[in-house]
Amino acid sequence: MTKKEQIITITVDGGYQPATVTLKQGIPATLIFNRISDVGCLNQVILPGSDHKHDLPLNAPQAFTLDTTHVGTTEFSCGMRMVHGQVVIQP
């Protein structure tokens, strides 16, 4: 039996929708950030476990793969660390 990839789209529009993403441990995961508004400081995202800022161009979805090896909760945020979301990895 093969494990499917987990693909979650997060709409960026003054915040993150959904703000909490729940994933299964050990199954490959991709987060797709789709920024549809230029309101606020959400033109960049800092992914879980990183300090690197990734640009989120307006109306151009950006896909990022995540490591789902470890169970736990980690945070992602805008480039200014003012708006937050979280990734929960469950067994």
Side-chain angles (χ1 to χ4, degrees), residues 25-47:
Q25 179 185 23
I27 299 175
T30 299
L31 297 183
I32 301 171
F33 287 84
N34 185 23
R35 185 168 71 100
I36 61 171
S37 171
D38 61 359
V39 174
C41 61
L42 295 160
N43 61 334
Q44 293 180 320
V45 67
I46 301 171
L47 297 172

